[in-house]
Every structure is written in structure tokens, then in C-alpha cells.
Amino acid sequence: MASALAALAFSANASANVQPIESIQAAAEQFVRASLPEKSVKHFVTAGNLDSRLRLDECASPLEAFSQGTGMNTGRMTIGVRCPSATPWTIYVPVTVEVEVSVLVLRRPLARRSPVALTDVEPQVRRMPGRASLFVSDAASLQGHRLKRSLPVGTALTVEMLQPNVLVRRGQQVTLIAANSGVQIRAQGQALTEGAADERVRVQNVSSLKVVEGVVESDGVVRVGL
């Protein structure tokens, strides 16, 4: 069956008009453009080349494009284009998305877990794969974060490269705070796990030896329930 379908797709049918490859690529590109949320940002959407031997019957209805729900937030995706007429067909088109965006670029190499200071970066306008929301353009977003891994000079920073600073480390002495009806109780504890702001950690009360779970409120401070 597969070989028969392939033969139909790649054979020249003298009795039927052929769907232009360019129209299939255009349908895929238009579908992706319509899904882009940052309308004020300049995007470059490019459908990949299709086999020039491809012969599909010209569709009597407008072509329909669709996504399988994967890759829509990345620079590379596969878009399906189908003909819904009496002689239906479906083909999958690779599409790339690039964006012209102002992004913060490292002025020097930084090691893993390093904080990123304002003097470490400079803004540059670059054409990058993916969507604008993937990249770091606001220096304020660097505060309270560090690098997940070592990065060389010239790296354009993405959101994925940053992680929140760890405010409570395993084995660290912390302050436990519990509040209820205006009454606040403080106790000393020892962190059993580590966490960043608003993350949950396990702490052992050094007086009662009871293990509790709380939320990291600030550096060395964990809020727990009564």
C-alpha cells in the first residue's frame, strides 16, 4: 500500500493538474505566522524544500495546515498540509522560525552557577532561531538568577540558561517562621534539602528534631504552617 501511494505521489498524472509545491510551502508558512504571538517583532518563517519530483493532484478546496502540537515554541517544527477535497492527500513540511530581537550577549566567559552582572552583558540585535520570548532582553530579569552551565563570550542569553539563586542550601542553619492569627513563632532549623525562592524544602527543627516542610521566603528563611 505504501509503495502504491508513493507511486501516485511521484508520478506525473496527465489527466489531472498538479498542486504547485510553492502553494504547499506557503500554506505551511502562513499557518506558522498566524500562530506567532509577538506581532511587533520581525519574524522570518521559511518552509523547507520539498522533493521537486512530488506530484499531487491539484486541490479543489483551500489547503488546510495543522500542527501536531510539538515544536511550536522552537525554531524548527513540522507542519502538516492537507487537501480536504474528494481526492484527499496530506504532506508534512519542515518549517524554521527566526526572529530579529535585541538580546543580552555575554562580554566575557562565565562559569557554571555564576551570577550575571550588568557589566557582563551588552545588548545586541541578532537574528536568532525561535521566538522572542525565548531570549533575555531585559537586564532586570538577571537579578536573583545564575547560570545553569558555563558559557563562552558572545553567547546570546536565553531564559533556559538561567535558574533562580539557591537561597537555602542543604545543611544550612535556617530560621523557621510560622504565623497564625497575628502570632508569629520563630525557631532554628537545619535544611535537609536546598531550594530557591518560593520552592519547598525540608527542614529539621533543631530543638524538637521534628522534620517539617516549608517554602523558602528569603535567604536562610523558611516559612512553615502551624
Side-chain angles (χ1 to χ4, degrees), residues 110-172:
L110 291 178
R112 178 173 175 262
R113 293 189 175 181
S114 295
V116 184
L118 293 180
T119 53
D120 295 327
V121 297
E122 63 180 5
Q124 292 184 9
V125 176
R126 288 190 177 183
R127 181 166 165 172
M128 303 294 295
R131 300 189 176 188
S133 57
L134 300 177
F135 301 95
V136 179
S137 58
D138 184 6
S141 62
L142 299 175
Q143 297 179 4
H145 290 78
R146 56 181 178 155
L147 295 181
K148 289 183 180 179
R149 59 183 183 275
S150 299
L151 295 174
V153 62
T155 299
L157 293 179
T158 67
V159 174
E160 182 275 332
M161 294 174 181
L162 301 175
Q163 63 184 2
N165 290 332
V166 173
L167 299 181
V168 170
R169 299 187 180 277
R170 184 176 181 179
Q172 177 183 348

Coordinates of all heavy atoms in Angstrom, one line a residue, residues 110-172:
L110 N 31.6 33.0 31.4 CA 31.2 32.8 32.7 C 31.1 31.4 33.1 O 30.7 30.6 32.3 CB 29.9 33.5 33.0 CG 29.9 35.1 32.9 CD1 28.5 35.6 33.1 CD2 30.8 35.7 34.0
A111 N 31.5 31.0 34.3 CA 31.4 29.7 34.8 C 30.0 29.3 35.3 O 29.2 30.1 35.5 CB 32.4 29.5 35.9
R112 N 29.8 28.0 35.4 CA 28.5 27.4 35.9 C 28.2 28.0 37.3 O 29.1 28.2 38.1 CB 28.6 25.9 35.9 CG 27.4 25.2 36.5 CD 27.6 23.7 36.3 NE 26.5 23.0 36.9 CZ 26.6 22.4 38.1 NH1 27.7 22.5 38.8 NH2 25.5 21.7 38.6
R113 N 27.0 28.3 37.5 CA 26.5 28.9 38.7 C 26.9 30.3 39.0 O 26.7 30.9 40.1 CB 26.9 28.0 39.9 CG 26.2 26.6 40.0 CD 26.5 25.9 41.3 NE 25.8 24.6 41.3 CZ 25.8 23.8 42.3 NH1 26.5 24.1 43.4 NH2 25.1 22.7 42.3
S114 N 27.5 31.0 38.0 CA 27.9 32.4 38.2 C 26.7 33.3 38.1 O 25.8 33.1 37.2 CB 28.9 32.8 37.1 OG 30.1 32.1 37.2
P115 N 26.6 34.3 38.9 CA 25.6 35.4 38.7 C 26.0 36.2 37.4 O 27.2 36.2 37.1 CB 25.7 36.2 39.9 CG 27.1 36.0 40.4 CD 27.5 34.6 40.1
V116 N 25.1 36.8 36.8 CA 25.4 37.6 35.6 C 25.1 39.1 36.0 O 24.0 39.5 36.2 CB 24.5 37.2 34.4 CG1 24.9 38.0 33.2 CG2 24.6 35.7 34.2
A117 N 26.2 39.9 36.0 CA 26.1 41.3 36.3 C 25.9 42.1 35.1 O 26.1 41.6 33.9 CB 27.4 41.8 37.0
L118 N 25.5 43.4 35.3 CA 25.2 44.2 34.1 C 26.5 44.4 33.3 O 26.4 44.6 32.1 CB 24.7 45.6 34.6 CG 23.3 45.6 35.3 CD1 22.9 47.0 35.7 CD2 22.3 45.0 34.3
T119 N 27.7 44.4 34.0 CA 28.9 44.6 33.3 C 29.3 43.4 32.5 O 30.3 43.5 31.6 CB 30.0 45.0 34.2 OG1 30.1 44.0 35.3 CG2 29.8 46.3 34.9
D120 N 28.6 42.3 32.7 CA 29.0 41.0 32.0 C 28.3 40.9 30.6 O 28.6 40.0 29.8 CB 28.6 39.8 32.8 CG 29.4 39.7 34.1 OD1 30.5 40.1 34.1 OD2 28.8 39.2 35.1
V121 N 27.3 41.8 30.4 CA 26.5 41.7 29.1 C 26.4 43.0 28.4 O 26.7 44.1 28.9 CB 25.1 41.2 29.5 CG1 25.1 39.8 30.1 CG2 24.4 42.2 30.4
E122 N 26.0 42.9 27.1 CA 25.7 44.1 26.3 C 24.6 43.7 25.4 O 24.5 42.6 24.9 CB 26.9 44.5 25.5 CG 27.4 43.5 24.5 CD 28.7 44.0 23.7 OE1 29.2 45.1 24.1 OE2 29.1 43.3 22.8
P123 N 23.7 44.7 25.1 CA 22.6 44.4 24.2 C 23.1 44.4 22.7 O 23.8 45.2 22.3 CB 21.6 45.5 24.4 CG 22.5 46.6 24.9 CD 23.6 46.0 25.6
Q124 N 22.6 43.4 22.0 CA 22.8 43.3 20.5 C 21.6 42.9 19.8 O 20.8 42.2 20.4 CB 23.9 42.3 20.2 CG 25.3 42.7 20.7 CD 26.4 41.7 20.2 OE1 26.1 40.8 19.5 NE2 27.6 41.8 20.8
V125 N 21.4 43.4 18.6 CA 20.2 43.0 17.8 C 20.8 41.8 16.9 O 21.7 42.0 16.1 CB 19.7 44.1 16.9 CG1 18.6 43.6 16.0 CG2 19.2 45.2 17.8
R126 N 20.1 40.7 17.1 CA 20.5 39.5 16.3 C 19.4 38.8 15.7 O 18.2 38.9 16.2 CB 21.3 38.5 17.3 CG 22.7 38.9 17.7 CD 23.4 37.8 18.4 NE 24.7 38.1 18.8 CZ 25.6 37.3 19.3 NH1 25.2 36.0 19.6 NH2 26.8 37.6 19.6
R127 N 19.6 38.0 14.7 CA 18.6 37.1 14.1 C 18.8 35.8 14.7 O 19.8 35.1 14.4 CB 18.8 37.1 12.5 CG 17.7 36.3 11.8 CD 17.7 36.6 10.3 NE 17.0 35.6 9.6 CZ 16.8 35.7 8.3 NH1 17.1 36.8 7.6 NH2 16.1 34.7 7.6
M128 N 17.9 35.3 15.5 CA 18.0 34.1 16.3 C 16.9 33.1 15.9 O 15.8 33.5 15.6 CB 18.0 34.4 17.8 CG 19.0 35.5 18.2 SD 20.7 34.9 18.1 CE 20.7 33.6 19.3
P129 N 17.2 31.8 16.1 CA 16.2 30.8 15.9 C 15.2 30.8 17.0 O 15.6 30.9 18.2 CB 17.0 29.5 15.8 CG 18.2 29.8 16.6 CD 18.5 31.2 16.4
G130 N 13.9 30.6 16.7 CA 12.9 30.5 17.8 C 12.1 31.8 17.9 O 12.1 32.6 16.9
R131 N 11.5 32.0 19.0 CA 10.7 33.2 19.3 C 11.3 34.1 20.2 O 12.2 33.8 21.0 CB 9.3 32.7 19.8 CG 8.6 31.8 18.9 CD 7.2 31.5 19.3 NE 6.4 30.7 18.3 CZ 5.2 30.4 18.4 NH1 4.4 30.9 19.4 NH2 4.6 29.7 17.5
A132 N 10.9 35.4 20.2 CA 11.5 36.4 21.0 C 11.4 36.1 22.5 O 12.3 36.5 23.3 CB 10.8 37.8 20.8
S133 N 10.3 35.4 23.0 CA 10.2 35.1 24.4 C 11.2 34.2 24.9 O 11.3 34.0 26.1 CB 8.8 34.5 24.6 OG 8.6 33.4 23.8
L134 N 12.0 33.5 24.0 CA 13.0 32.6 24.5 C 14.3 33.3 24.9 O 15.1 32.7 25.6 CB 13.3 31.6 23.3 CG 12.2 30.7 22.8 CD1 12.8 29.9 21.6 CD2 11.7 29.8 23.8
F135 N 14.4 34.6 24.6 CA 15.7 35.2 24.8 C 15.6 36.3 25.9 O 14.5 36.8 26.2 CB 16.2 35.9 23.5 CG 16.4 34.9 22.4 CD1 15.4 34.6 21.5 CD2 17.5 34.1 22.4 CE1 15.5 33.7 20.5 CE2 17.7 33.2 21.4 CZ 16.7 32.9 20.5
V136 N 16.7 36.6 26.6 CA 16.7 37.5 27.7 C 17.1 38.9 27.1 O 18.2 39.1 26.5 CB 17.8 37.1 28.7 CG1 17.8 38.2 29.8 CG2 17.4 35.8 29.3
S137 N 16.2 39.9 27.2 CA 16.5 41.2 26.7 C 16.5 42.3 27.8 O 17.0 43.4 27.6 CB 15.4 41.6 25.6 OG 14.1 41.5 26.1
D138 N 15.9 41.9 28.9 CA 15.7 42.9 30.0 C 16.8 42.6 31.1 O 16.7 41.5 31.7 CB 14.3 42.8 30.6 CG 14.1 43.9 31.7 OD1 15.0 44.7 31.9 OD2 13.0 43.8 32.3
A139 N 17.7 43.5 31.4 CA 18.7 43.3 32.4 C 18.1 43.0 33.8 O 18.7 42.3 34.6 CB 19.7 44.4 32.4
A140 N 16.9 43.5 34.0 CA 16.3 43.3 35.3 C 16.0 41.9 35.6 O 16.0 41.4 36.8 CB 15.1 44.2 35.5
S141 N 15.8 41.1 34.6 CA 15.5 39.7 34.7 C 16.7 38.9 35.2 O 16.6 37.7 35.5 CB 14.9 39.1 33.4 OG 15.8 39.2 32.4
L142 N 17.9 39.4 35.1 CA 19.1 38.7 35.6 C 19.2 38.7 37.1 O 19.9 37.8 37.6 CB 20.3 39.4 35.0 CG 20.5 39.5 33.5 CD1 21.7 40.3 33.1 CD2 20.6 38.1 32.9
Q143 N 18.5 39.6 37.8 CA 18.6 39.7 39.2 C 18.0 38.5 39.9 O 17.0 38.0 39.5 CB 17.9 40.9 39.7 CG 18.5 42.2 39.2 CD 17.8 43.5 39.8 OE1 16.8 43.4 40.6 NE2 18.2 44.6 39.3
G144 N 18.8 37.9 40.8 CA 18.3 36.7 41.5 C 18.5 35.4 40.8 O 17.9 34.4 41.1
H145 N 19.3 35.5 39.7 CA 19.5 34.3 38.9 C 21.0 34.0 38.7 O 21.8 34.9 38.9 CB 18.8 34.4 37.5 CG 17.3 34.4 37.6 ND1 16.6 35.5 38.0 CD2 16.4 33.4 37.3 CE1 15.3 35.1 38.0 NE2 15.2 33.9 37.6
R146 N 21.3 32.8 38.3 CA 22.6 32.4 38.0 C 22.6 31.5 36.8 O 21.5 31.0 36.3 CB 23.3 31.7 39.2 CG 22.4 30.5 39.6 CD 23.1 29.8 40.8 NE 22.2 28.7 41.2 CZ 22.6 27.6 41.8 NH1 23.9 27.5 42.2 NH2 21.8 26.6 42.2
L147 N 23.8 31.2 36.2 CA 23.9 30.3 35.0 C 23.7 28.9 35.4 O 24.3 28.4 36.4 CB 25.2 30.6 34.3 CG 25.4 32.0 33.7 CD1 26.8 32.0 33.0 CD2 24.3 32.3 32.7
K148 N 23.0 28.1 34.6 CA 22.9 26.7 34.7 C 24.2 26.0 34.3 O 24.5 24.9 34.8 CB 21.8 26.1 33.9 CG 20.4 26.5 34.4 CD 19.3 25.8 33.5 CE 17.9 26.1 34.0 NZ 16.9 25.5 33.1
R149 N 24.9 26.6 33.4 CA 26.2 25.9 32.9 C 27.1 27.0 32.4 O 26.8 28.2 32.3 CB 25.8 25.0 31.7 CG 25.2 25.7 30.5 CD 24.8 24.7 29.4 NE 24.2 25.4 28.2 CZ 23.0 25.7 28.1 NH1 22.1 25.4 29.1 NH2 22.5 26.2 27.0
S150 N 28.4 26.6 32.2 CA 29.4 27.5 31.7 C 29.1 28.0 30.3 O 28.6 27.2 29.5 CB 30.8 26.9 31.8 OG 31.1 26.5 33.1
L151 N 29.3 29.3 30.0 CA 29.0 29.8 28.7 C 30.2 30.7 28.2 O 30.8 31.4 29.0 CB 27.8 30.7 28.8 CG 26.5 29.9 29.1 CD1 25.3 31.0 29.3 CD2 26.1 28.9 28.0
P152 N 30.5 30.6 26.9 CA 31.6 31.4 26.3 C 31.2 32.8 26.0 O 30.0 33.1 26.0 CB 31.9 30.6 25.0 CG 30.6 30.0 24.6 CD 29.9 29.6 25.9
V153 N 32.2 33.6 25.8 CA 31.9 35.0 25.4 C 31.1 35.0 24.0 O 31.3 34.1 23.2 CB 33.3 35.8 25.2 CG1 34.1 35.1 24.1 CG2 33.0 37.2 24.9
G154 N 30.2 36.0 23.9 CA 29.4 36.1 22.7 C 28.1 35.3 22.7 O 27.4 35.4 21.8
T155 N 27.9 34.6 23.8 CA 26.6 33.8 23.9 C 25.4 34.7 24.1 O 25.4 35.6 25.0 CB 26.7 32.8 25.1 OG1 27.8 31.9 24.9 CG2 25.4 32.0 25.2
A156 N 24.4 34.5 23.3 CA 23.1 35.3 23.5 C 22.3 34.5 24.5 O 22.0 33.3 24.4 CB 22.4 35.3 22.1
L157 N 22.0 35.2 25.6 CA 21.3 34.6 26.7 C 19.9 34.2 26.4 O 19.1 35.0 25.9 CB 21.4 35.5 27.9 CG 22.8 35.7 28.5 CD1 22.7 36.7 29.7 CD2 23.5 34.4 29.0
T158 N 19.5 33.0 26.8 CA 18.1 32.6 26.7 C 17.6 32.3 28.1 O 18.4 32.2 29.1 CB 18.0 31.2 25.9 OG1 18.7 30.2 26.6 CG2 18.7 31.4 24.5
V159 N 16.3 32.3 28.2 CA 15.6 32.1 29.5 C 16.1 30.7 30.1 O 16.3 30.6 31.3 CB 14.1 32.1 29.4 CG1 13.4 31.8 30.7 CG2 13.7 33.5 28.9
E160 N 16.3 29.7 29.2 CA 16.6 28.4 29.6 C 18.0 28.3 30.3 O 18.3 27.4 31.1 CB 16.5 27.5 28.4 CG 16.8 26.0 28.7 CD 18.3 25.6 28.6 OE1 19.0 26.3 27.9 OE2 18.7 24.7 29.3
M161 N 18.8 29.3 30.0 CA 20.2 29.3 30.5 C 20.3 29.7 32.0 O 21.3 29.6 32.6 CB 21.1 30.1 29.7 CG 21.3 29.6 28.3 SD 22.3 30.8 27.3 CE 22.3 30.0 25.7
L162 N 19.2 30.3 32.5 CA 19.2 30.9 33.8 C 18.4 30.1 34.8 O 17.4 29.4 34.4 CB 18.7 32.3 33.8 CG 19.4 33.3 32.9 CD1 18.7 34.6 32.9 CD2 20.8 33.5 33.4
Q163 N 18.8 30.1 36.1 CA 18.0 29.5 37.1 C 18.0 30.4 38.4 O 19.0 31.1 38.6 CB 18.5 28.1 37.4 CG 19.9 28.0 38.0 CD 20.4 26.6 38.2 OE1 19.7 25.7 37.9 NE2 21.6 26.5 38.8
P164 N 17.0 30.3 39.2 CA 17.0 31.1 40.4 C 18.1 30.8 41.3 O 18.6 29.7 41.4 CB 15.6 30.8 41.0 CG 14.8 30.2 39.9 CD 15.8 29.5 39.1
N165 N 18.6 31.8 42.0 CA 19.6 31.6 43.0 C 19.1 30.7 44.2 O 18.0 30.8 44.6 CB 20.1 32.9 43.7 CG 20.9 33.8 42.7 OD1 21.5 33.3 41.8 ND2 20.8 35.1 42.9
V166 N 20.0 29.8 44.6 CA 19.6 29.0 45.8 C 19.8 29.8 47.0 O 20.8 30.4 47.3 CB 20.5 27.7 45.8 CG1 20.3 27.0 47.1 CG2 20.3 26.8 44.6
L167 N 18.7 30.0 47.8 CA 18.7 30.8 49.0 C 18.8 29.9 50.2 O 19.2 30.4 51.3 CB 17.4 31.6 49.1 CG 17.2 32.6 47.9 CD1 15.9 33.4 48.1 CD2 18.4 33.6 47.8
V168 N 18.5 28.6 50.1 CA 18.7 27.7 51.2 C 19.4 26.5 50.7 O 19.0 25.9 49.8 CB 17.3 27.3 51.8 CG1 17.5 26.1 52.8 CG2 16.6 28.5 52.5
R169 N 20.5 26.2 51.4 CA 21.4 25.0 51.0 C 21.2 23.9 52.0 O 21.0 24.1 53.2 CB 22.8 25.4 50.8 CG 23.0 26.5 49.7 CD 24.5 26.7 49.4 NE 24.7 27.7 48.4 CZ 24.6 27.5 47.1 NH1 24.4 26.3 46.7 NH2 24.8 28.5 46.2
R170 N 21.4 22.7 51.5 CA 21.4 21.5 52.4 C 22.5 21.6 53.5 O 23.6 21.9 53.2 CB 21.6 20.3 51.6 CG 21.5 19.0 52.4 CD 21.6 17.8 51.5 NE 21.5 16.5 52.2 CZ 21.6 15.3 51.7 NH1 21.7 15.2 50.4 NH2 21.4 14.3 52.4
G171 N 22.0 21.4 54.7 CA 23.0 21.5 55.9 C 23.0 22.9 56.5 O 23.6 23.1 57.5
Q172 N 22.4 23.9 55.8 CA 22.5 25.3 56.3 C 21.6 25.5 57.5 O 20.5 24.9 57.6 CB 22.1 26.2 55.1 CG 22.0 27.7 55.5 CD 21.6 28.6 54.4 OE1 21.5 28.1 53.2 NE2 21.2 29.8 54.7

